[in-house]
Amino acid sequence: MEVTDIGNKEEGKVWHRKPTPGRSVLVTVVRTAQQNKTVRFLHVAFDTTGDSFLAGDHHGNIYLFDISRNRFRLVQKTGQACTALAFSLRRTTEFLVALADYTIKCFDKDTKQLVSWMRGHEGAVSSISVHSSGRYAITTSSDTAQLWDLDTFQRKRKLNIRQSVGIQRVFFLPLSNTILSCFSDDSIFAWESDTLFCKYQLPVPDSGPRISYKAFAVTRDGKSLAAGGRSNLLHLWCLDSQRLLRVIQMPAQVRTVRQLEFLPDSFDGGANQTLGVLSQDGAMRFINIHTCRLLFHMGSADEAVGAVAVGPNGRHIAAIMDNGSINVYSVQSLTQELNKPPPSQVAVVSGGEADQNLSGIKMKVKSEGVQRPARSSGRRTQVKMLRAPAASSAEDKENELPAGLNKKRLVALLKAFGEFPAKYRMFVWRSLLCLPENHAAYSSLTDKGLHSAFLTLHDQYPIKSHKLQRGLQRVLSALAHWAAIFAEVEYLPLVAFPFVKLFQNNPMLCFEVVATVIVNWCQHWFEYFPNPPLNILSMAENVLAHHDQELLQHLVDCGVTSQLYVWPLLETLFSEVTTRDEWLRLFDNVFSNHPSFLLMACVAYVISCREPLLLCSQKKDFEYFFHHRNNLDVGAMIKEAYRIAGSTPADIHPRTMLSDFTALTSGQYPVFNQYPEFIVEYQSRERERIRLQEMEYLKERQELSALRADFVRRQAEEKAYYAQQELLQKAEEHRRNILAQEEDKLAQQRTKLAAMKRELKVRELHLLDATRRRFLKHQQEQQASQIHRLDQEISRKMDLREQETAAAVQDLEVRQMELEAQRKRLEQDLLKEQERVGRAVEEEVLLKMREAERADESYSELLHSAESNLQALEESLAEAYQLGLESDWQREVLERLQRVDAEQERKRERLAQLQRQTLAEEGRLAHTVREVAGRKWDDVMSSRAQLQEQRLASSAAETAKGVNTATGGGSSTTQRQGGANMVCLNSSSPSGSSSTNFSLDRGRAHLDSSERELLKEIRELRQKLAARAREGSSASSPSVHALSSVPQ
């Protein structure tokens, strides 16, 4: 069995050497992580082909094992343990995995991508069942089952139950749309997957003990259901008729059924007949559900199986062992017993007179499997009966073997080919030895467990293979429980080991073969127990003396007895001096002949090796020769054995002293008491006494060892205590010395510290004095610099104030110049307006005069033409005309006076607005001037007086000029000049008011009084101008009347 450790590899080979045919376990897969810790595998699941399977460990790694390609690879790392695995049937590259966080994920094994993530369970998912179409899946936990659509990965339905009734399993039936739900109260319901309509319920069995279903299995055709639980009983249900077909009782070792799996077969049409039953003891037994016969089994108490997955094609089985590894089994190797050749087709062999010679009848053992009978046609097949003579019936009956074989024909076949076919050797041996296959009797022996005599067998006979070691222990223990002497025979492991290695997959057959060999070929071996069988050795020595006296004499001369050259061959059954093939070939002949043939083979081996034996003279050379392999032709040795058996006289022939072959009894094994019982009992009692004494001695030795260990521990503790105390005393003295030295140093340091403190205090005082002087000096310097800075600041501010004053004076001068320019511009505008109005009036007067002249001329003409006739009418018309003209001129004068008043009002408003602006500018200028400090007030007052005198002189001159101008014009011109003069006087007022503001708070009263006087003068001038304007308008009206009267 090859063991593959995948470790942390992500891909590699499953096995490095191709498994040999016939091996049931193809490979054992383990995974070890860091520090040689084994990572346990938890679940396995096959794909639809049966050649690949998934395996998940408790670290969350999912591996894909491809058995056909001998490759494995890591397909996903989920990060948490999985609780169930399943392949998606529709998309072969996708698989479902249930995780420990109660979710189900779908991954793609090729791309390693997450396809979907399904949530909804509140407990761990125990199983996943996928519909045969691959469209739906059912996930089951202890409290609910949920139906999922694998196309959309959406939940379609949810099965909720009461808390008192738990769900065991919910799954799809193969090849149908039926869902089976199994509950903890043994109730089983069938539902339609599309409509979820309840189709039927299986009746709960009333009679018999309650099984408490835990495990379920359905045949591939979906017609039969097997259920098991906390019992060794299995219920087999027919789902078509909804009735219980049979109840199968497993062996007594089975107390609880953990898992059920049907084993598929290519030729059963889905009606599987082989059922695997995994029980609590870790063994999985495969039975035929129709014959209730145990076929084969996997696992044992030492190699317990935890979970199993069977491939859909029925070729492989993946089993998770209790140690966390995975064993991959070959079903073909496990079912070798089922695939044995068919029995003979000869139905009856009876005596008769038809034929006296049977030497011409021959039978062929065909290697093909059982052929199914062909369909018969309408005619009946006649079977011919072969009848042998009556005299030969007893001999034929003796040569007849089970399964239709004949010993004579087998011996003839053996003599012709030298050995039996390897494919049928085990079958032929079983037939030759007539093994009864007592399952119950063997189980009763194995149930007693390992015999105490073979508990330490591995110390005496270390075997590399643990399986062989356990198989050998099991067979030897069964032999010891069968007969007490076999617990005392020291060479029994040597006798049984070749058969254990040969029948390692079927321990019951191995036990029966060894028991048959002991009963027949080991006759009289135990009469001289515990000494070698001297009677048997003397038989072999007599035969050797008859056939090769010279060799025997040489052995006697060298002091070599039969215990040295015959007994090593017998106690190991030639397994030490032959290879496997040679040993099988030899025992083909041994089992086909009388039990005495084994002694003849020993003598033949010695005679065949006479040449090297004659050259040996030392006893140790003989011992080495008969315990190691030698260059010997086994075929020649077997021929020599046949020659010796045929030419040995009857008086010394072992056949006369050994009984014929006797098969084991069926049902129960025979009683074996061919040994000195008192010696065996005495040895067993002595062994038990020695064992008890040894146990007592070991117990006392253990107690003594414990006392010695306690004494040594206490002595060491005491010694360590005293050493520790001594060290503590030394450490204490050392610390005291250190403390004294430290105290001295501390006193010196304190003295030095006091001196340093005094010195530092003096230095500190000096430094404080120096610091104080420096601080005073620094303060004086700061005060001097501050005074200097204040002087500089005062001088700078004085210069700044002078500059600001000069700038303000310049600004005032500029403003005065601007006002003067504005006044002159207004005067020019007024003069231009007066000239324009004068010209217009002159033009109008000229025009009126021309019209009057033309009218006069026309009137004179009219007067001359109609003077005589219309005198009275003319007078009346002249008076009316005169009155109309007067009224028209009065109306026009009034309208012009109103327009002049409106224009004057608008100009007054304009003057008021300009005054407000001037006052705002004066306020801003006053605010600016107020910030200036330290001005030379004498200069300001003198300049203000001069400016006031100049302003008064200019205003008086302008007033006189305006008055003169106003007297020379007409009424409309006078009104406009009055408005213009008012504008000029008003515009000159801001300069005067602004000039008075330079006195600030010191001359504020004086400035206010002067301002009031100026405003009073302005009002008086305005009144005068208005009076003059009215006088001018009244004076202009007679002139107008005069002008209008001219045409009259």
Side-chain angles (χ1 to χ4, degrees):
M1 179 177 64
E2 184 175 354
V3 178
T4 301
D5 185 0
I6 63 177
N8 294 323
K9 295 184 290 186
E10 294 191 357
E11 61 177 346
K13 292 184 177 181
V14 181
W15 55 74
H16 298 282
R17 289 185 298 177
K18 187 177 181 180
T20 58
R23 286 173 50 183
S24 59
V25 181
L26 299 179
V27 66
T28 298
V29 181
V30 298
R31 181 171 181 258
T32 56
Q34 297 178 354
Q35 300 177 356
N36 294 328
K37 291 183 179 180
T38 302
V39 180
R40 297 175 57 83
F41 286 97
L42 300 179
H43 297 278
V44 291
F46 276 93
D47 63 355
T48 55
T49 63
D51 294 330
S52 302
F53 65 90
L54 290 172
D57 60 15
H58 73 278
H59 283 182
N61 298 323
I62 309 296
Y63 291 89
L64 177 67
F65 294 88
D66 193 336
I67 303 175
S68 60
R69 298 180 181 179
N70 187 24
R71 302 293 299 178
F72 76 89
R73 58 189 176 93
L74 177 66
V75 295
Q76 195 56 240
K77 290 183 178 180
T78 62
Q80 51 186 327
C82 63
T83 58
L85 285 172
F87 267 98
S88 178
L89 301 180
R90 176 175 292 187
R91 295 176 291 274
T92 57
T93 60
E94 295 179 3
F95 63 92
L96 301 173
V97 53
L99 302 176
D101 61 353
Y102 312 152
T103 62
I104 303 101
K105 293 183 178 180
C106 180
F107 295 100
D108 193 296
K109 68 177 183 178
D110 293 338
T111 63
K112 301 182 180 181
Q113 298 294 323
L114 176 64
V115 179
S116 181
W117 192 348
M118 297 174 282
R119 301 179 180 89
H121 282 278
E122 296 179 356
V125 177
S126 57
S127 66
I128 301 175
S129 176
V130 182
H131 192 263
S132 57
S133 64
R135 182 177 178 182
Y136 302 109
I138 295 177
T139 57
T140 308
S141 61
S142 60
D143 57 348
T144 183
Q146 300 186 15
L147 178 64
W148 303 88
D149 189 340
L150 296 184
D151 289 339
T152 61
F153 294 100
Q154 298 295 324
R155 183 175 65 189
K156 293 192 63 179
R157 295 295 178 92
K158 181 179 180 181
L159 174 62
N160 293 318
I161 59 169
R162 297 193 305 270
Q163 294 182 356
S164 59
V165 181
I167 298 177
Q168 294 297 338
R169 191 177 172 192
V170 181
F171 55 93
F172 287 103
L173 288 181
L175 306 177
S176 69
N177 292 329
T178 305
I179 300 175
L180 278 188
S181 60
C182 310
F183 301 95
S184 58
D185 58 353
D186 290 351
S187 60
I188 300 175
F189 293 85
W191 311 82
E192 186 69 30
S193 62
D194 295 334
T195 62
L196 291 183
F197 174 76
C198 183
K199 299 173 66 176
Y200 57 83
Q201 178 186 0
L202 297 181
V204 179
D206 298 331
S207 61
R210 182 181 175 185
I211 294 182
S212 298
Y213 292 151
K214 297 292 183 183
F216 307 90
V218 182
T219 55
R220 301 292 171 176
D221 57 1
K223 296 182 179 180
S224 300
L225 169 68
R230 296 177 181 175
S231 172
N232 65 343
L233 300 178
L234 301 178
H235 285 181
L236 189 64
W237 295 86
C238 178
L239 298 180
D240 291 339
S241 60
Q242 294 99 45
R243 65 185 183 89
L244 184 64
L245 291 179
R246 64 174 58 88
V247 179
I248 303 174
Q249 183 176 7
M250 297 297 294
Q253 300 93 325
V254 178
R255 296 189 298 274
T256 301
V257 177
R258 295 168 56 183
Q259 187 177 352
L260 295 175
E261 292 289 343
F262 276 103
L263 188 63
D265 192 355
S266 302
F267 304 102
D268 58 7
N272 310 131
Q273 302 179 4
T274 304
L275 176 65
V277 183
L278 178 61
S279 57
Q280 86 289 339
D281 58 355
M284 190 164 190
R285 299 168 175 85
F286 289 84
I287 62 173
N288 190 299
I289 60 176
H290 298 299
T291 63
C292 300
R293 179 168 174 260
L294 180 64
L295 303 178
F296 59 93
H297 72 279
M298 298 187 322
S300 61
D302 298 327
E303 291 187 355
V305 178
V308 168
V310 180
N313 54 12
R315 287 199 291 257
H316 300 98
I317 299 175
I320 298 181
M321 315 305 289
D322 274 356
N323 59 4
S325 62
I326 299 177
N327 282 1
V328 181
Y329 292 89
S330 172
V331 177
Q332 183 180 3
S333 300
L334 290 172
T335 56
Q336 284 182 351
E337 182 67 20
L338 304 177
N339 297 328
K340 64 182 181 181
S344 175
Q345 297 296 321
V346 179
V348 178
V349 179
S350 59
E353 299 178 357
D355 193 358
Q356 299 294 332
N357 188 7
L358 299 178
S359 60
I361 298 177
K362 294 185 179 180
M363 298 177 63
K364 290 185 179 181
V365 180
K366 296 184 179 181
S367 60
E368 291 82 10
V370 179
Q371 296 180 356
R372 300 182 183 271
R375 293 184 179 180
S376 60
S377 59
R379 297 172 298 175
R380 293 182 57 186
T381 303
Q382 297 182 356
V383 180
K384 294 184 178 181
M385 311 298 289
L386 299 178
R387 300 183 179 273
S392 61
S393 61
E395 183 180 358
D396 288 340
K397 186 176 181 180
E398 180 182 355
N399 291 326
E400 282 300 323
L401 298 175
L405 298 182
N406 188 277
K407 186 173 181 180
K408 268 191 172 184
R409 295 188 180 92
L410 290 177
V411 171
L413 181 67
L414 179 64
K415 288 182 178 180
F417 296 98
E419 58 181 343
F420 293 127
K423 187 175 183 179
Y424 301 107
R425 177 176 279 117
M426 299 300 104
F427 171 70
V428 173
W429 281 15
R430 289 172 60 185
S431 300
L432 289 173
L433 299 179
C434 301
L435 300 181
E437 299 186 12
N438 297 326
H439 294 279
Y442 176 73
S443 298
S444 65
L445 293 176
T446 55
D447 289 343
K448 297 179 181 179
L450 295 179
H451 199 277
S452 59
F454 302 106
L455 292 176
T456 59
L457 181 66
H458 59 278
D459 297 334
Q460 188 177 3
Y461 297 99
I463 301 176
K464 186 176 181 180
S465 174
H466 296 288
K467 185 177 180 181
L468 285 178
Q469 184 78 42
R470 288 190 294 270
L472 181 60
Q473 276 185 320
R474 194 181 300 113
V475 172
L476 295 178
S477 299
L479 291 172
H481 292 310
W482 177 43
I485 187 173
F486 297 128
E488 311 297 333
V489 178
E490 296 181 355
Y491 56 85
L492 186 62
L494 301 176
V495 174
F497 179 73
F499 300 102
V500 171
K501 193 171 182 180
L502 194 62
F503 295 93
Q504 57 182 333
N505 293 325
N506 198 331
M508 185 195 68
L509 292 180
C510 178
F511 167 78
E512 293 186 350
V513 169
V514 175
T516 304
V517 170
I518 291 175
V519 169
N520 293 279
W521 280 272
C522 298
Q523 299 179 35
H524 310 293
W525 278 28
F526 311 104
E527 294 177 357
Y528 293 91
F529 181 80
N531 297 316
L534 301 179
N535 51 353
I536 301 297
L537 299 180
S538 62
M539 294 180 193
E541 191 171 355
N542 292 334
V543 174
L544 179 62
H546 177 76
H547 291 282
D548 199 337
Q549 184 66 33
E550 180 184 0
L551 179 59
L552 178 62
Q553 187 62 40
H554 174 70
L555 296 174
V556 171
D557 293 341
C558 295
V560 178
T561 62
S562 57
Q563 296 184 17
L564 192 60
Y565 62 84
V566 177
W567 183 236
L569 302 177
L570 291 177
E571 68 178 355
T572 60
L573 297 182
F574 289 89
S575 60
E576 282 188 345
V577 297
T578 57
T579 61
R580 174 186 172 89
D581 295 336
E582 293 174 349
W583 187 87
L584 292 173
R585 186 176 179 185
L586 172 62
F587 271 82
D588 284 344
N589 293 272
V590 170
F591 289 155
S592 301
N593 290 278
H594 192 269
S596 62
F597 187 80
L598 183 62
L599 293 177
M600 298 303 179
C602 294
V603 175
Y605 183 85
V606 175
I607 293 177
S608 300
C609 299
R610 70 185 308 274
E611 298 299 332
L613 290 175
L614 291 175
L615 298 177
C616 297
S617 58
Q618 300 294 327
K619 190 174 182 179
K620 60 181 181 180
D621 295 338
F622 288 99
E623 291 179 355
Y624 181 86
F625 185 85
F626 286 102
H627 284 281
H628 292 81
R629 295 177 184 175
N630 302 290
N631 296 325
L632 177 67
D633 186 4
V634 176
M637 184 197 78
I638 293 173
K639 290 180 181 179
E640 182 66 19
Y642 278 109
R643 186 190 67 79
I644 293 173
S647 60
T648 301
D651 55 345
I652 61 173
H653 202 290
R655 182 190 294 269
T656 58
M657 290 170 279
L658 297 178
S659 302
D660 292 337
F661 174 79
T662 303
L664 297 178
T665 57
S666 179
Q668 292 293 333
Y669 296 116
V671 177
F672 186 83
N673 56 1
Q674 300 176 6
Y675 59 88
E677 295 183 1
F678 69 95
I679 295 178
V680 174
E681 291 177 357
Y682 172 75
Q683 282 197 354
S684 61
R685 287 195 301 270
E686 287 295 317
R687 183 184 296 276
E688 184 66 20
R689 182 180 62 81
I690 292 172
R691 188 180 66 82
L692 294 176
Q693 290 180 356
E694 185 178 5
M695 290 178 62
E696 186 177 358
Y697 167 73
L698 291 175
K699 185 177 180 181
E700 292 177 355
R701 184 176 178 182
Q702 186 176 4
E703 292 177 355
L704 182 61
S705 299
L707 290 174
R708 183 180 290 108
D710 191 18
F711 173 74
V712 171
R713 180 180 58 79
R714 290 182 179 179
Q715 188 177 8
E717 289 179 356
E718 185 177 0
K719 186 176 179 181
Y721 174 75
Y722 284 118
Q724 186 178 6
Q725 292 298 324
E726 185 177 357
L727 290 174
L728 288 174
Q729 289 179 359
K730 290 181 179 179
E732 185 177 0
E733 292 178 0
H734 182 63
R735 287 190 178 88
R736 286 178 179 175
N737 295 332
I738 292 174
L739 285 174
Q741 294 176 3
E742 292 295 330
E743 287 178 356
D744 295 339
K745 290 181 180 178
L746 185 59
Q748 294 175 4
Q749 289 179 358
R750 284 177 180 173
T751 305
K752 292 181 180 179
L753 184 61
M756 291 175 66
K757 282 184 178 179
R758 288 193 296 272
E759 185 177 356
L760 288 174
K761 194 67 175 177
V762 172
R763 289 184 180 179
E764 185 178 359
L765 292 174
H766 289 305
L767 288 173
L768 287 174
D769 189 21
T771 303
R772 185 176 57 82
R773 288 195 299 269
R774 284 198 301 271
F775 181 71
L776 291 174
K777 185 178 179 180
H778 178 66
Q779 283 186 342
Q780 291 175 359
E781 292 177 353
Q782 280 186 347
Q783 290 178 356
S785 61
Q786 188 174 5
I787 291 170
H788 183 65
R789 282 198 304 274
L790 289 175
D791 294 338
Q792 291 180 353
E793 185 70 17
I794 290 170
S795 60
R796 186 179 63 79
K797 286 184 177 180
M798 290 177 67
D799 295 338
L800 184 61
R801 285 170 187 168
E802 292 176 357
Q803 293 176 3
E804 290 176 352
T805 304
V809 170
Q810 291 178 2
D811 291 340
L812 290 173
E813 293 176 353
V814 172
R815 178 63 178 168
Q816 186 66 30
M817 293 172 65
E818 290 178 356
L819 292 174
E820 186 69 22
Q822 185 177 5
R823 184 182 62 79
K824 291 180 179 181
R825 188 168 55 254
L826 289 174
E827 291 176 353
Q828 291 177 2
D829 293 337
L830 288 173
L831 291 176
K832 290 179 181 179
E833 184 67 20
Q834 290 175 1
E835 290 178 359
R836 185 181 64 78
V837 172
R839 284 194 299 269
V841 171
E842 290 177 357
E843 290 177 357
E844 187 178 358
V845 170
L846 291 177
L847 181 60
K848 291 292 182 178
M849 290 176 68
R850 289 192 188 98
E851 289 178 356
E853 290 176 356
R854 286 193 298 268
D856 189 16
E857 291 177 358
S858 61
Y859 286 147
S860 60
E861 290 178 0
L862 288 174
L863 288 174
H864 288 296
S865 63
E867 186 177 84
S868 60
N869 298 325
L870 299 173
Q871 182 69 32
L873 184 59
E874 287 178 358
E875 289 178 0
S876 59
L877 287 174
E879 290 177 0
Y881 181 74
Q882 181 66 32
L883 292 174
L885 288 176
E886 287 179 358
S887 61
D888 291 336
W889 277 108
Q890 288 177 1
R891 193 183 300 110
E892 184 179 358
V893 169
L894 289 175
E895 289 176 359
R896 288 185 180 180
L897 287 175
Q898 289 176 359
R899 285 196 297 271
V900 170
D901 291 337
E903 185 70 22
Q904 188 175 4
E905 187 65 27
R906 285 195 299 273
K907 289 186 178 181
R908 286 196 190 112
E909 290 177 1
R910 178 64 178 168
L911 286 173
Q913 184 179 2
L914 290 174
Q915 186 178 4
R916 286 194 296 271
Q917 292 178 357
T918 305
L919 289 175
E921 291 178 359
E922 287 176 357
R924 287 194 296 270
L925 185 59
H927 179 70
T928 304
V929 173
R930 200 176 290 116
E931 291 179 356
V932 180
R935 180 178 298 274
K936 296 180 180 180
W937 304 107
D938 297 337
D939 297 337
V940 173
M941 292 301 293
S942 61
S943 61
R944 183 180 60 82
Q946 293 177 2
L947 289 173
Q948 189 174 2
E949 293 176 356
Q950 293 177 2
R951 181 177 61 81
L952 291 174
S954 61
S955 61
E958 290 175 358
T959 303
K961 184 178 180 181
V963 171
N964 295 328
T965 307
T967 57
S971 62
S972 61
T973 306
T974 304
Q975 293 291 334
R976 292 176 182 176
Q977 286 176 351
N981 291 332
M982 285 191 289
V983 172
C984 294
L985 292 172
N986 201 12
S987 62
S988 63
S989 63
S991 63
S993 64
S994 63
S995 64
T996 58
N997 286 332
F998 283 103
S999 62
L1000 296 177
D1001 295 336
R1002 296 180 182 179
R1004 190 68 177 172
H1006 179 69
L1007 290 173
D1008 292 339
S1009 60
S1010 61
E1011 186 175 1
R1012 285 194 295 271
E1013 292 176 355
L1014 288 174
L1015 290 174
K1016 186 177 180 181
E1017 293 177 356
I1018 291 172
R1019 281 195 297 272
E1020 292 177 352
L1021 290 173
R1022 288 177 179 173
Q1023 292 175 0
K1024 292 179 180 180
L1025 289 173
R1028 290 178 182 178
R1030 285 194 295 270
E1031 292 176 356
S1033 61
S1034 62
S1036 60
S1037 60
S1039 61
V1040 173
H1041 289 297
L1043 291 175
S1044 61
S1045 62
V1046 172
Q1048 295 178 1

